Amino acid sequence: MLTSLQGAIESGLLYALMALGVYITFRILDFPDLTVDGSFTTGAAIGAVMSVNGTPPWIAVICAFIGGAIAGTCTGLLHTKGKINGLLSGIIMMIALYSINLRILGKPNVSLRNMDNVFDGASVLVLAVILAIAVKVLLDLFFKTDMGLSLRATGDNSRMIRSFGANTDITTIFGIALSNALVATSGALIAQQQKFADNSMGIGMIVIGLASVIIGEAIFGSRSIFRATLAVILGAIIYRIIFALALRVEWLEASDMKLITAVIIIFALVVPSARRAVKMKSVARKRTAEMLAKVGNAPEAGGER
């Protein structure tokens, strides 16, 4: 049980980089980017193939980061310069990346057994914690810069930012590129941890990323960037723990995991809404009681002449 829990935490921390990428597009930019399913595999494919060909593991991960950024840039260009709907832009790139990833891999899957990887000679848990914290801190600092503030403002109100003379196309492209770069980095690290890369390993990653973001925000809140990025990381860990616990249930099979993910997302969305509704009703009842009390205590109008 402890081994399973530790494995879930390790995976959660590595998937947290992907969840942070999803957070940038869906929460910061308010952009429905489905490129994630393809760019995750792109990172895994680049990292795996370069490792097999003798490239140092960390160099392979950096190249995966660049590959993901290129994929995100293409999506951003389709949307901003090609004037294609954001959702459709992501779908187009996701479809294109399926063939591109297969070209990179050369075959449906590549084994990394007996190959050097970034986790050799180090604890996966310790290294994953360091990576997650480092990325979180860098993102927190970035969102305080002029470019980061422009990115946040573009997601909040792009028309207003354009009226100030800012180029929202550049910030949108940069944000989508950064998002997919983090997603691809996560894919490369997961491939090295699992010691294989598969052309279909990115399917459903957008759902997992959204689940991590929604769970984290529902439990820990997102009133500030610091709190939001921390919530996303913790949400990714909680999701993997729930995933690991669900696998231990006898009547559940591995094929049921997508259904479990959907249930988790529904629960994470419904509970906060229900809680807000109950709180609003409680406040309304309290205000009604106060008004009735004031009316009851008010002196009667008129009087004896």
Side-chain angles (χ1 to χ4, degrees):
M1 180 64 180
L2 290 176
T3 303
S4 177
L5 185 62
Q6 180 179 339
I9 294 173
E10 292 170 354
S11 297
L13 288 166
L14 295 178
Y15 278 110
L17 303 185
M18 180 268 297
L20 286 169
V22 172
Y23 169 78
I24 291 173
T25 49
F26 276 83
R27 285 290 188 259
I28 299 294
L29 275 178
D30 193 23
F31 183 88
D33 185 23
L34 298 185
T35 315
V36 170
D37 282 15
S39 59
F40 184 88
T41 308
T42 300
I46 292 173
V49 170
M50 292 188 72
S51 295
V52 168
N53 290 328
T55 304
W58 282 111
I59 300 297
V61 172
I62 292 171
C63 290
F65 178 92
I66 296 171
I70 293 172
T73 299
C74 292
T75 301
L77 288 172
L78 286 174
H79 175 60
T80 58
K81 305 303 181 184
K83 305 303 179 184
I84 299 174
N85 175 271
L87 185 63
L88 188 56
S89 299
I91 293 173
I92 291 171
M93 274 308 300
M94 177 180 66
I95 294 171
L97 285 173
Y98 184 87
S99 297
I100 293 171
N101 295 336
L102 196 54
R103 284 275 187 172
I104 295 172
L105 288 169
K107 50 186 177 180
N109 55 70
V110 171
S111 174
L112 292 175
R113 293 194 178 277
N114 302 320
M115 298 290 175
D116 294 337
N117 65 65
V118 295
F119 302 107
D120 286 342
S123 168
V124 176
L125 180 60
V126 172
L127 193 54
V129 168
I130 293 172
L131 285 171
I133 292 175
V135 172
K136 177 201 161 20
V137 170
L138 288 174
L139 281 178
D140 290 346
L141 293 174
F142 166 72
F143 285 124
K144 293 179 181 178
T145 63
D146 290 343
M147 186 62 179
L149 291 171
S150 297
L151 197 67
R152 293 164 63 183
T154 299
D156 288 336
N157 193 330
S158 59
R159 288 185 179 180
M160 183 186 73
I161 296 304
R162 281 196 296 270
S163 69
F164 291 150
N167 191 331
T168 55
D169 286 356
I170 292 176
T171 53
T172 299
I173 294 170
F174 181 82
I176 299 172
L178 177 60
S179 168
N180 284 280
L182 290 174
V183 171
T185 302
S186 175
L189 292 170
I190 290 293
Q192 297 209 18
Q193 183 205 26
Q194 297 179 347
K195 297 186 182 300
F196 77 91
D198 188 274
N199 196 44
S200 61
M201 67 189 296
I203 296 175
M205 281 300 117
I206 186 62
V207 178
I208 295 173
L210 280 174
S212 302
V213 173
I214 292 168
I215 291 170
E217 290 182 345
I219 296 175
F220 304 103
S222 56
R223 294 182 179 178
S224 64
I225 288 295
F226 176 86
R227 190 168 178 176
T229 52
L230 179 61
V232 170
I233 294 173
L234 295 177
I237 295 171
I238 291 171
Y239 172 82
R240 297 309 301 186
I241 291 174
I242 295 173
F243 192 89
L245 292 175
L247 284 174
R248 299 178 69 87
V249 178
E250 293 182 2
W251 51 272
L252 286 177
E253 299 179 2
S255 58
D256 297 325
M257 290 304 103
K258 300 299 181 184
L259 176 61
I260 294 170
T261 299
V263 172
I264 292 170
I265 293 176
I266 292 170
F267 185 77
L269 286 171
V270 169
V271 169
S273 298
R275 192 165 54 189
R276 282 194 298 269
V278 171
K279 186 176 180 180
M280 289 176 66
K281 287 182 179 179
S282 176
V283 171
R285 283 197 299 267
K286 185 177 179 181
R287 288 180 177 175
T288 302
E290 290 176 353
M291 289 297 295
L292 290 174
K294 288 180 180 179
V295 171
N297 295 330
E300 292 186 2
E304 294 183 2
R305 293 190 177 182

